[in-house]
Every structure is written in structure tokens, then in C-alpha cells.
Amino acid sequence: MAESAKKVAQEAEDRLEKVAENIRERFDRIIKSGFTDKIREGRFADQMDQGVDRARADERLQKQGGSPS
């Protein structure tokens, strides 16, 4: 009985390893696609959103004693 439990546990571990490898490969493909670069560059934000973000940053800076640019 203990031997079959070990076998089942080993098979489950092997399947989990395959799933983990599959996830790593998919993640790497997403990262390499440059999608995150597009987000960082603001390609998906419209001008209105960027203006609001800038206003918030300026307000935070003023509260800290600085001056907005």
C-alpha cells in the first residue's frame, strides 16, 4: 500500500512540474512580446488619463513642499 501511495505522489509531482514548466514558458512568451514595454510607454493611456496622472503627481509634490514642473 505504501508503495502505491509513493507512486501516486510521484505521478502528481511530475504532473505539477509539467504544469509549472508550461506556465513559465507562457510567461516568457508574454514578456518577450513587448506588451509591458507598450504599457510603460503609455501607448494604452489616452491623453486625458495622462493629464489626470500628472495633476495628481503635481499635487503630491506641492504637499511635500516642492513646486510642480
Side-chain angles (χ1 to χ4, degrees):
M1 183 80 169
E3 198 60 37
S4 81
K6 286 182 182 180
K7 183 178 178 181
V8 168
Q10 184 61 46
E11 289 173 356
E13 185 177 345
D14 293 343
R15 285 190 300 247
L16 286 173
E17 284 295 326
K18 288 179 184 178
V19 168
E21 181 61 30
N22 192 6
I23 290 171
R24 282 186 210 103
E25 289 173 3
R26 289 181 183 185
F27 181 77
D28 287 343
R29 277 188 297 210
I30 290 170
I31 296 301
K32 289 178 184 176
S33 73
F35 185 72
T36 53
D37 293 336
K38 292 177 185 175
I39 292 172
R40 284 188 198 124
E41 293 170 6
R43 291 187 189 171
F44 296 110
D46 61 9
Q47 293 293 13
M48 179 71 94
D49 289 343
Q50 291 176 3
V52 170
D53 291 341
R54 182 66 191 161
R56 287 181 184 150
D58 289 346
E59 185 177 339
R60 248 184 269 126
L61 184 62
Q62 283 179 337
K63 285 182 181 177
Q64 294 173 353
S67 62
S69 54

Short mmCIF file of all heavy atoms in Angstrom, two decimals:
data_model
loop_
_atom_site.label_atom_id
_atom_site.label_comp_id
_atom_site.label_asym_id
_atom_site.label_seq_id
_atom_site.Cartn_x
_atom_site.Cartn_y
_atom_site.Cartn_z
N MET A 1 0.82 -1.20 0.00
CA MET A 1 0.00 0.00 0.00
C MET A 1 0.86 1.26 0.00
O MET A 1 0.59 2.20 -0.73
CB MET A 1 -0.93 -0.04 1.22
CG MET A 1 -1.87 1.11 1.29
SD MET A 1 -3.26 0.84 0.19
CE MET A 1 -4.30 2.13 0.70
N ALA A 2 1.90 1.26 0.82
CA ALA A 2 2.76 2.43 0.89
C ALA A 2 3.46 2.66 -0.45
O ALA A 2 3.70 3.80 -0.83
CB ALA A 2 3.79 2.26 2.01
N GLU A 3 3.77 1.58 -1.13
CA GLU A 3 4.44 1.70 -2.43
C GLU A 3 3.52 2.37 -3.45
O GLU A 3 3.96 3.20 -4.23
CB GLU A 3 4.88 0.31 -2.91
CG GLU A 3 5.93 0.34 -3.97
CD GLU A 3 7.23 1.02 -3.54
OE1 GLU A 3 7.64 0.88 -2.37
OE2 GLU A 3 7.81 1.71 -4.39
N SER A 4 2.23 2.03 -3.44
CA SER A 4 1.32 2.65 -4.41
C SER A 4 1.09 4.12 -4.07
O SER A 4 0.91 4.94 -4.95
CB SER A 4 0.00 1.88 -4.47
OG SER A 4 -0.87 2.23 -3.43
N ALA A 5 1.09 4.46 -2.79
CA ALA A 5 0.95 5.86 -2.39
C ALA A 5 2.15 6.67 -2.87
O ALA A 5 1.99 7.81 -3.34
CB ALA A 5 0.80 5.97 -0.88
N LYS A 6 3.33 6.09 -2.78
CA LYS A 6 4.53 6.76 -3.27
C LYS A 6 4.44 6.99 -4.78
O LYS A 6 4.83 8.03 -5.29
CB LYS A 6 5.79 5.95 -2.93
CG LYS A 6 6.19 6.01 -1.50
CD LYS A 6 7.47 5.22 -1.29
CE LYS A 6 7.89 5.22 0.16
NZ LYS A 6 9.13 4.45 0.38
N LYS A 7 3.93 5.97 -5.49
CA LYS A 7 3.81 6.07 -6.94
C LYS A 7 2.82 7.18 -7.31
O LYS A 7 3.09 7.99 -8.22
CB LYS A 7 3.35 4.74 -7.52
CG LYS A 7 3.28 4.73 -9.02
CD LYS A 7 2.86 3.37 -9.56
CE LYS A 7 2.76 3.44 -11.07
NZ LYS A 7 2.33 2.17 -11.64
N VAL A 8 1.68 7.23 -6.64
CA VAL A 8 0.68 8.27 -6.91
C VAL A 8 1.26 9.65 -6.61
O VAL A 8 1.08 10.59 -7.38
CB VAL A 8 -0.60 8.01 -6.07
CG1 VAL A 8 -1.53 9.20 -6.12
CG2 VAL A 8 -1.31 6.75 -6.57
N ALA A 9 1.97 9.76 -5.50
CA ALA A 9 2.58 11.04 -5.13
C ALA A 9 3.60 11.47 -6.18
O ALA A 9 3.67 12.64 -6.55
CB ALA A 9 3.22 10.95 -3.75
N GLN A 10 4.40 10.52 -6.65
CA GLN A 10 5.42 10.83 -7.67
C GLN A 10 4.77 11.27 -8.97
O GLN A 10 5.22 12.23 -9.61
CB GLN A 10 6.33 9.62 -7.91
CG GLN A 10 7.46 9.91 -8.88
CD GLN A 10 8.40 10.99 -8.39
OE1 GLN A 10 8.81 10.99 -7.24
NE2 GLN A 10 8.72 11.93 -9.26
N GLU A 11 3.69 10.60 -9.37
CA GLU A 11 2.99 10.98 -10.59
C GLU A 11 2.38 12.37 -10.47
O GLU A 11 2.43 13.17 -11.41
CB GLU A 11 1.90 9.95 -10.92
CG GLU A 11 2.45 8.62 -11.39
CD GLU A 11 1.39 7.56 -11.55
OE1 GLU A 11 0.21 7.80 -11.23
OE2 GLU A 11 1.74 6.46 -12.02
N ALA A 12 1.82 12.67 -9.30
CA ALA A 12 1.24 14.00 -9.07
C ALA A 12 2.33 15.06 -9.13
O ALA A 12 2.14 16.13 -9.72
CB ALA A 12 0.52 14.04 -7.73
N GLU A 13 3.47 14.77 -8.54
CA GLU A 13 4.58 15.72 -8.57
C GLU A 13 5.07 15.94 -10.00
O GLU A 13 5.34 17.09 -10.40
CB GLU A 13 5.73 15.20 -7.70
CG GLU A 13 6.87 16.18 -7.58
CD GLU A 13 7.97 15.69 -6.65
OE1 GLU A 13 7.75 14.74 -5.89
OE2 GLU A 13 9.07 16.28 -6.72
N ASP A 14 5.15 14.88 -10.78
CA ASP A 14 5.58 15.00 -12.18
C ASP A 14 4.61 15.87 -12.97
O ASP A 14 5.02 16.72 -13.77
CB ASP A 14 5.71 13.62 -12.83
CG ASP A 14 6.85 12.80 -12.24
OD1 ASP A 14 7.74 13.39 -11.58
OD2 ASP A 14 6.84 11.57 -12.45
N ARG A 15 3.31 15.66 -12.76
CA ARG A 15 2.31 16.47 -13.46
C ARG A 15 2.42 17.94 -13.07
O ARG A 15 2.31 18.83 -13.91
CB ARG A 15 0.90 15.95 -13.17
CG ARG A 15 0.58 14.68 -13.93
CD ARG A 15 -0.89 14.35 -13.81
NE ARG A 15 -1.27 14.18 -12.41
CZ ARG A 15 -1.66 13.05 -11.86
NH1 ARG A 15 -1.76 11.97 -12.58
NH2 ARG A 15 -1.98 12.99 -10.59
N LEU A 16 2.63 18.19 -11.78
CA LEU A 16 2.77 19.58 -11.33
C LEU A 16 4.00 20.24 -11.92
O LEU A 16 3.98 21.42 -12.27
CB LEU A 16 2.82 19.65 -9.80
CG LEU A 16 1.49 19.43 -9.09
CD1 LEU A 16 1.71 19.35 -7.58
CD2 LEU A 16 0.50 20.52 -9.42
N GLU A 17 5.08 19.48 -12.05
CA GLU A 17 6.29 20.01 -12.69
C GLU A 17 6.02 20.39 -14.14
O GLU A 17 6.47 21.43 -14.61
CB GLU A 17 7.43 19.00 -12.61
CG GLU A 17 8.09 18.90 -11.26
CD GLU A 17 8.80 20.17 -10.86
OE1 GLU A 17 9.36 20.87 -11.73
OE2 GLU A 17 8.78 20.49 -9.66
N LYS A 18 5.26 19.56 -14.85
CA LYS A 18 4.92 19.86 -16.24
C LYS A 18 4.06 21.12 -16.33
O LYS A 18 4.26 21.97 -17.21
CB LYS A 18 4.19 18.69 -16.88
CG LYS A 18 5.08 17.51 -17.16
CD LYS A 18 4.31 16.36 -17.78
CE LYS A 18 5.20 15.14 -17.97
NZ LYS A 18 4.44 14.01 -18.52
N VAL A 19 3.12 21.27 -15.41
CA VAL A 19 2.26 22.46 -15.39
C VAL A 19 3.11 23.70 -15.12
O VAL A 19 2.96 24.73 -15.78
CB VAL A 19 1.14 22.31 -14.33
CG1 VAL A 19 0.44 23.64 -14.09
CG2 VAL A 19 0.15 21.25 -14.76
N ALA A 20 4.00 23.60 -14.15
CA ALA A 20 4.86 24.74 -13.80
C ALA A 20 5.73 25.13 -15.00
O ALA A 20 5.90 26.33 -15.29
CB ALA A 20 5.73 24.40 -12.59
N GLU A 21 6.28 24.17 -15.70
CA GLU A 21 7.11 24.47 -16.87
C GLU A 21 6.29 25.13 -17.96
O GLU A 21 6.73 26.09 -18.60
CB GLU A 21 7.76 23.19 -17.38
CG GLU A 21 8.66 23.40 -18.57
CD GLU A 21 9.83 24.33 -18.28
OE1 GLU A 21 10.29 24.37 -17.12
OE2 GLU A 21 10.28 25.01 -19.22
N ASN A 22 5.08 24.65 -18.17
CA ASN A 22 4.19 25.23 -19.16
C ASN A 22 3.89 26.69 -18.82
O ASN A 22 3.91 27.57 -19.69
CB ASN A 22 2.90 24.41 -19.24
CG ASN A 22 2.06 24.77 -20.43
OD1 ASN A 22 2.46 25.55 -21.27
ND2 ASN A 22 0.87 24.20 -20.48
N ILE A 23 3.64 26.97 -17.57
CA ILE A 23 3.35 28.34 -17.13
C ILE A 23 4.58 29.22 -17.33
O ILE A 23 4.46 30.35 -17.81
CB ILE A 23 2.89 28.35 -15.66
CG1 ILE A 23 1.51 27.72 -15.56
CG2 ILE A 23 2.90 29.76 -15.08
CD1 ILE A 23 1.04 27.47 -14.15
N ARG A 24 5.75 28.72 -16.99
CA ARG A 24 6.98 29.50 -17.20
C ARG A 24 7.17 29.87 -18.67
O ARG A 24 7.53 30.99 -19.01
CB ARG A 24 8.20 28.72 -16.72
CG ARG A 24 8.38 28.73 -15.23
CD ARG A 24 9.70 28.07 -14.83
NE ARG A 24 9.55 27.47 -13.53
CZ ARG A 24 9.37 26.18 -13.28
NH1 ARG A 24 9.36 25.31 -14.26
NH2 ARG A 24 9.22 25.74 -12.06
N GLU A 25 6.94 28.89 -19.56
CA GLU A 25 7.09 29.13 -20.99
C GLU A 25 6.10 30.18 -21.48
O GLU A 25 6.46 31.07 -22.25
CB GLU A 25 6.91 27.83 -21.77
CG GLU A 25 8.05 26.86 -21.60
CD GLU A 25 7.77 25.51 -22.23
OE1 GLU A 25 6.71 25.34 -22.87
OE2 GLU A 25 8.62 24.62 -22.10
N ARG A 26 4.86 30.09 -21.05
CA ARG A 26 3.86 31.07 -21.47
C ARG A 26 4.20 32.45 -20.94
O ARG A 26 4.04 33.46 -21.64
CB ARG A 26 2.47 30.65 -20.97
CG ARG A 26 1.92 29.46 -21.70
CD ARG A 26 0.55 29.11 -21.20
NE ARG A 26 0.06 27.91 -21.87
CZ ARG A 26 -1.14 27.43 -21.70
NH1 ARG A 26 -1.99 28.03 -20.88
NH2 ARG A 26 -1.53 26.34 -22.32
N PHE A 27 4.64 32.52 -19.71
CA PHE A 27 5.02 33.80 -19.11
C PHE A 27 6.17 34.43 -19.90
O PHE A 27 6.14 35.63 -20.21
CB PHE A 27 5.42 33.60 -17.65
CG PHE A 27 5.79 34.86 -16.94
CD1 PHE A 27 4.81 35.74 -16.51
CD2 PHE A 27 7.11 35.18 -16.71
CE1 PHE A 27 5.15 36.91 -15.86
CE2 PHE A 27 7.45 36.35 -16.06
CZ PHE A 27 6.47 37.21 -15.63
N ASP A 28 7.16 33.63 -20.23
CA ASP A 28 8.29 34.14 -21.02
C ASP A 28 7.84 34.67 -22.37
O ASP A 28 8.31 35.70 -22.84
CB ASP A 28 9.34 33.05 -21.22
CG ASP A 28 10.11 32.74 -19.95
OD1 ASP A 28 10.07 33.56 -19.00
OD2 ASP A 28 10.74 31.65 -19.89
N ARG A 29 6.90 33.98 -23.02
CA ARG A 29 6.39 34.46 -24.31
C ARG A 29 5.69 35.80 -24.16
O ARG A 29 5.84 36.68 -25.00
CB ARG A 29 5.42 33.44 -24.92
CG ARG A 29 6.12 32.33 -25.65
CD ARG A 29 5.11 31.49 -26.36
NE ARG A 29 4.24 30.90 -25.34
CZ ARG A 29 3.62 29.74 -25.45
NH1 ARG A 29 3.72 29.05 -26.54
NH2 ARG A 29 2.86 29.27 -24.48
N ILE A 30 4.92 35.96 -23.08
CA ILE A 30 4.22 37.22 -22.86
C ILE A 30 5.23 38.34 -22.63
O ILE A 30 5.11 39.43 -23.20
CB ILE A 30 3.26 37.11 -21.65
CG1 ILE A 30 2.09 36.19 -22.03
CG2 ILE A 30 2.75 38.48 -21.23
CD1 ILE A 30 1.22 35.82 -20.85
N ILE A 31 6.22 38.09 -21.81
CA ILE A 31 7.23 39.10 -21.51
C ILE A 31 8.00 39.49 -22.78
O ILE A 31 8.26 40.66 -23.00
CB ILE A 31 8.21 38.59 -20.42
CG1 ILE A 31 7.48 38.36 -19.11
CG2 ILE A 31 9.36 39.55 -20.24
CD1 ILE A 31 6.80 39.57 -18.54
N LYS A 32 8.33 38.52 -23.58
CA LYS A 32 9.11 38.81 -24.80
C LYS A 32 8.29 39.54 -25.85
O LYS A 32 8.84 40.12 -26.77
CB LYS A 32 9.66 37.51 -25.37
CG LYS A 32 10.78 36.93 -24.54
CD LYS A 32 11.28 35.64 -25.12
CE LYS A 32 12.34 35.03 -24.21
NZ LYS A 32 12.78 33.73 -24.68
N SER A 33 6.99 39.50 -25.73
CA SER A 33 6.15 40.12 -26.75
C SER A 33 6.23 41.64 -26.71
O SER A 33 5.82 42.31 -27.64
CB SER A 33 4.69 39.69 -26.58
OG SER A 33 4.13 40.32 -25.44
N GLY A 34 6.75 42.19 -25.64
CA GLY A 34 6.90 43.64 -25.56
C GLY A 34 5.66 44.34 -25.06
O GLY A 34 5.59 45.56 -25.04
N PHE A 35 4.66 43.60 -24.62
CA PHE A 35 3.43 44.20 -24.14
C PHE A 35 3.70 45.13 -22.96
O PHE A 35 3.17 46.23 -22.90
CB PHE A 35 2.45 43.09 -23.74
CG PHE A 35 1.11 43.59 -23.33
CD1 PHE A 35 0.24 44.11 -24.28
CD2 PHE A 35 0.72 43.55 -22.01
CE1 PHE A 35 -1.01 44.56 -23.91
CE2 PHE A 35 -0.53 44.01 -21.63
CZ PHE A 35 -1.39 44.52 -22.58
N THR A 36 4.56 44.70 -22.06
CA THR A 36 4.86 45.53 -20.90
C THR A 36 5.56 46.82 -21.32
O THR A 36 5.35 47.87 -20.71
CB THR A 36 5.73 44.79 -19.87
OG1 THR A 36 6.89 44.27 -20.52
CG2 THR A 36 4.97 43.65 -19.23
N ASP A 37 6.39 46.75 -22.36
CA ASP A 37 7.04 47.97 -22.86
C ASP A 37 5.99 48.96 -23.37
O ASP A 37 6.11 50.16 -23.14
CB ASP A 37 8.03 47.64 -23.97
CG ASP A 37 9.21 46.83 -23.48
OD1 ASP A 37 9.50 46.90 -22.26
OD2 ASP A 37 9.83 46.13 -24.29
N LYS A 38 4.99 48.45 -24.05
CA LYS A 38 3.94 49.32 -24.57
C LYS A 38 3.18 49.99 -23.43
O LYS A 38 2.84 51.17 -23.51
CB LYS A 38 2.98 48.53 -25.45
CG LYS A 38 3.61 48.06 -26.74
CD LYS A 38 2.66 47.21 -27.54
CE LYS A 38 3.37 46.65 -28.77
NZ LYS A 38 2.51 45.74 -29.51
N ILE A 39 2.95 49.24 -22.38
CA ILE A 39 2.24 49.81 -21.23
C ILE A 39 3.10 50.90 -20.58
O ILE A 39 2.63 51.98 -20.26
CB ILE A 39 1.88 48.72 -20.21
CG1 ILE A 39 0.83 47.80 -20.80
CG2 ILE A 39 1.40 49.32 -18.90
CD1 ILE A 39 0.54 46.58 -19.98
N ARG A 40 4.39 50.61 -20.39
CA ARG A 40 5.29 51.59 -19.76
C ARG A 40 5.38 52.87 -20.59
O ARG A 40 5.54 53.96 -20.04
CB ARG A 40 6.68 50.98 -19.61
CG ARG A 40 6.77 50.00 -18.49
CD ARG A 40 8.20 49.57 -18.26
NE ARG A 40 8.20 48.35 -17.49
CZ ARG A 40 8.79 47.23 -17.87
NH1 ARG A 40 9.46 47.17 -18.99
NH2 ARG A 40 8.73 46.15 -17.12
N GLU A 41 5.33 52.74 -21.89
CA GLU A 41 5.41 53.91 -22.77
C GLU A 41 4.10 54.69 -22.80
O GLU A 41 4.03 55.77 -23.38
CB GLU A 41 5.77 53.47 -24.19
CG GLU A 41 7.18 52.91 -24.29
CD GLU A 41 7.44 52.26 -25.64
OE1 GLU A 41 6.57 52.34 -26.53
OE2 GLU A 41 8.52 51.68 -25.80
N GLY A 42 3.05 54.14 -22.22
CA GLY A 42 1.78 54.83 -22.16
C GLY A 42 0.97 54.73 -23.43
O GLY A 42 0.08 55.55 -23.67
N ARG A 43 1.23 53.75 -24.24
CA ARG A 43 0.51 53.63 -25.50
C ARG A 43 -0.97 53.32 -25.31
O ARG A 43 -1.77 53.55 -26.19
CB ARG A 43 1.13 52.55 -26.37
CG ARG A 43 2.49 52.94 -26.89
CD ARG A 43 2.99 51.93 -27.87
NE ARG A 43 4.38 52.22 -28.19
CZ ARG A 43 5.14 51.43 -28.89
NH1 ARG A 43 4.67 50.29 -29.35
NH2 ARG A 43 6.39 51.75 -29.14
N PHE A 44 -1.33 52.76 -24.17
CA PHE A 44 -2.71 52.39 -23.94
C PHE A 44 -3.46 53.44 -23.12
O PHE A 44 -4.64 53.29 -22.87
CB PHE A 44 -2.81 51.03 -23.25
CG PHE A 44 -2.26 49.93 -24.11
CD1 PHE A 44 -1.08 49.29 -23.79
CD2 PHE A 44 -2.93 49.55 -25.25
CE1 PHE A 44 -0.58 48.29 -24.57
CE2 PHE A 44 -2.43 48.54 -26.06
CZ PHE A 44 -1.26 47.90 -25.72
N ALA A 45 -2.79 54.48 -22.72
CA ALA A 45 -3.44 55.54 -21.95
C ALA A 45 -3.78 56.68 -22.89
O ALA A 45 -2.99 57.08 -23.73
CB ALA A 45 -2.51 56.03 -20.85
N ASP A 46 -4.97 57.19 -22.76
CA ASP A 46 -5.30 58.35 -23.60
C ASP A 46 -4.79 59.62 -22.93
O ASP A 46 -4.34 59.61 -21.79
CB ASP A 46 -6.80 58.42 -23.89
CG ASP A 46 -7.65 58.57 -22.63
OD1 ASP A 46 -7.08 58.79 -21.55
OD2 ASP A 46 -8.88 58.47 -22.75
N GLN A 47 -4.83 60.71 -23.62
CA GLN A 47 -4.28 61.96 -23.12
C GLN A 47 -4.97 62.41 -21.83
O GLN A 47 -4.34 62.98 -20.96
CB GLN A 47 -4.38 63.05 -24.19
CG GLN A 47 -3.52 62.79 -25.40
CD GLN A 47 -2.03 62.88 -25.08
OE1 GLN A 47 -1.59 62.90 -23.94
NE2 GLN A 47 -1.22 62.93 -26.12
N MET A 48 -6.26 62.16 -21.72
CA MET A 48 -6.99 62.55 -20.53
C MET A 48 -6.41 61.87 -19.29
O MET A 48 -6.18 62.50 -18.28
CB MET A 48 -8.47 62.20 -20.68
CG MET A 48 -9.29 62.56 -19.46
SD MET A 48 -9.48 64.32 -19.28
CE MET A 48 -11.03 64.52 -20.09
N ASP A 49 -6.16 60.58 -19.39
CA ASP A 49 -5.61 59.84 -18.26
C ASP A 49 -4.24 60.37 -17.88
O ASP A 49 -3.90 60.51 -16.71
CB ASP A 49 -5.50 58.35 -18.58
CG ASP A 49 -6.85 57.67 -18.63
OD1 ASP A 49 -7.83 58.25 -18.11
OD2 ASP A 49 -6.94 56.57 -19.20
N GLN A 50 -3.41 60.67 -18.87
CA GLN A 50 -2.08 61.17 -18.58
C GLN A 50 -2.14 62.53 -17.89
O GLN A 50 -1.35 62.81 -17.00
CB GLN A 50 -1.26 61.25 -19.87
CG GLN A 50 -0.93 59.88 -20.43
CD GLN A 50 -0.21 59.95 -21.75
OE1 GLN A 50 0.11 61.02 -22.25
NE2 GLN A 50 0.05 58.80 -22.34
N GLY A 51 -3.07 63.37 -18.29
CA GLY A 51 -3.22 64.67 -17.65
C GLY A 51 -3.65 64.54 -16.21
O GLY A 51 -3.16 65.25 -15.33
N VAL A 52 -4.56 63.63 -15.93
CA VAL A 52 -5.02 63.41 -14.57
C VAL A 52 -3.87 62.89 -13.72
O VAL A 52 -3.66 63.35 -12.59
CB VAL A 52 -6.22 62.43 -14.55
CG1 VAL A 52 -6.54 62.00 -13.13
CG2 VAL A 52 -7.43 63.05 -15.20
N ASP A 53 -3.11 61.94 -14.26
CA ASP A 53 -1.96 61.40 -13.52
C ASP A 53 -0.95 62.49 -13.21
O ASP A 53 -0.39 62.55 -12.12
CB ASP A 53 -1.29 60.27 -14.31
CG ASP A 53 -2.15 59.03 -14.41
OD1 ASP A 53 -3.08 58.90 -13.59
OD2 ASP A 53 -1.88 58.20 -15.29
N ARG A 54 -0.69 63.35 -14.18
CA ARG A 54 0.27 64.44 -13.98
C ARG A 54 -0.23 65.41 -12.91
O ARG A 54 0.53 65.86 -12.06
CB ARG A 54 0.50 65.18 -15.30
CG ARG A 54 1.50 66.28 -15.20
CD ARG A 54 2.87 65.72 -14.92
NE ARG A 54 3.76 66.81 -14.57
CZ ARG A 54 4.89 66.66 -13.94
NH1 ARG A 54 5.30 65.48 -13.61
NH2 ARG A 54 5.62 67.69 -13.65
N ALA A 55 -1.53 65.71 -12.93
CA ALA A 55 -2.10 66.61 -11.94
C ALA A 55 -1.97 66.02 -10.54
O ALA A 55 -1.65 66.73 -9.58
CB ALA A 55 -3.56 66.92 -12.26
N ARG A 56 -2.20 64.74 -10.42
CA ARG A 56 -2.06 64.08 -9.11
C ARG A 56 -0.61 64.13 -8.64
O ARG A 56 -0.34 64.37 -7.46
CB ARG A 56 -2.53 62.63 -9.21
CG ARG A 56 -4.02 62.50 -9.31
CD ARG A 56 -4.42 61.04 -9.37
NE ARG A 56 -5.85 60.93 -9.57
CZ ARG A 56 -6.44 59.94 -10.20
NH1 ARG A 56 -5.73 58.94 -10.69
NH2 ARG A 56 -7.75 59.91 -10.32
N ALA A 57 0.31 63.90 -9.54
CA ALA A 57 1.73 63.93 -9.17
C ALA A 57 2.13 65.34 -8.74
O ALA A 57 2.85 65.52 -7.75
CB ALA A 57 2.59 63.48 -10.35
N ASP A 58 1.63 66.36 -9.45
CA ASP A 58 1.93 67.75 -9.07
C ASP A 58 1.36 68.07 -7.70
O ASP A 58 2.01 68.74 -6.89
CB ASP A 58 1.35 68.72 -10.11
CG ASP A 58 2.11 68.69 -11.43
OD1 ASP A 58 3.23 68.12 -11.45
OD2 ASP A 58 1.58 69.21 -12.43
N GLU A 59 0.15 67.60 -7.43
CA GLU A 59 -0.48 67.87 -6.13
C GLU A 59 0.32 67.21 -5.01
O GLU A 59 0.56 67.83 -3.97
CB GLU A 59 -1.91 67.33 -6.14
CG GLU A 59 -2.68 67.68 -4.88
CD GLU A 59 -4.11 67.20 -4.93
OE1 GLU A 59 -4.65 66.96 -6.03
OE2 GLU A 59 -4.71 67.05 -3.85
N ARG A 60 0.76 65.98 -5.24
CA ARG A 60 1.57 65.30 -4.23
C ARG A 60 2.87 66.06 -3.98
O ARG A 60 3.30 66.23 -2.84
CB ARG A 60 1.91 63.90 -4.72
CG ARG A 60 1.25 62.83 -3.91
CD ARG A 60 1.65 61.44 -4.35
NE ARG A 60 0.69 61.01 -5.36
CZ ARG A 60 0.99 60.58 -6.57
NH1 ARG A 60 2.21 60.48 -6.97
NH2 ARG A 60 0.04 60.24 -7.42
N LEU A 61 3.48 66.55 -5.04
CA LEU A 61 4.73 67.28 -4.92
C LEU A 61 4.54 68.57 -4.13
O LEU A 61 5.34 68.91 -3.27
CB LEU A 61 5.29 67.58 -6.31
CG LEU A 61 6.66 68.26 -6.37
CD1 LEU A 61 7.72 67.36 -5.72
CD2 LEU A 61 7.05 68.56 -7.81
N GLN A 62 3.44 69.28 -4.38
CA GLN A 62 3.16 70.51 -3.65
C GLN A 62 2.95 70.23 -2.17
O GLN A 62 3.40 70.99 -1.31
CB GLN A 62 1.91 71.20 -4.22
CG GLN A 62 2.19 71.93 -5.51
CD GLN A 62 0.94 72.60 -6.07
OE1 GLN A 62 -0.18 72.20 -5.76
NE2 GLN A 62 1.14 73.61 -6.90
N LYS A 63 2.28 69.14 -1.84
CA LYS A 63 2.06 68.80 -0.43
C LYS A 63 3.36 68.50 0.28
O LYS A 63 3.49 68.68 1.47
CB LYS A 63 1.12 67.60 -0.33
CG LYS A 63 -0.32 67.92 -0.61
CD LYS A 63 -1.19 66.71 -0.45
CE LYS A 63 -2.64 67.05 -0.77
NZ LYS A 63 -3.50 65.85 -0.68
N GLN A 64 4.36 68.03 -0.49
CA GLN A 64 5.66 67.72 0.09
C GLN A 64 6.59 68.94 0.13
O GLN A 64 7.71 68.85 0.55
CB GLN A 64 6.33 66.59 -0.69
CG GLN A 64 5.61 65.28 -0.57
CD GLN A 64 6.19 64.21 -1.47
OE1 GLN A 64 7.07 64.48 -2.29
NE2 GLN A 64 5.70 62.99 -1.32
N GLY A 65 6.09 70.05 -0.36
CA GLY A 65 6.87 71.28 -0.29
C GLY A 65 7.62 71.63 -1.56
O GLY A 65 8.42 72.56 -1.59
N GLY A 66 7.38 70.89 -2.63
CA GLY A 66 8.06 71.17 -3.89
C GLY A 66 7.18 72.02 -4.78
O GLY A 66 6.11 72.47 -4.41
N SER A 67 7.66 72.26 -5.97
CA SER A 67 6.86 73.01 -6.93
C SER A 67 6.63 72.17 -8.16
O SER A 67 7.52 71.43 -8.60
CB SER A 67 7.57 74.31 -7.32
OG SER A 67 8.79 74.00 -7.96
N PRO A 68 5.44 72.22 -8.74
CA PRO A 68 5.17 71.41 -9.93
C PRO A 68 5.98 71.92 -11.13
O PRO A 68 6.29 73.10 -11.21
CB PRO A 68 3.68 71.58 -10.17
CG PRO A 68 3.33 72.88 -9.50
CD PRO A 68 4.30 73.03 -8.36
N SER A 69 6.26 71.02 -12.03
CA SER A 69 7.02 71.43 -13.21
C SER A 69 6.14 71.88 -14.32
O SER A 69 5.00 71.74 -14.36
CB SER A 69 7.89 70.25 -13.70
OG SER A 69 7.10 69.11 -13.91
#
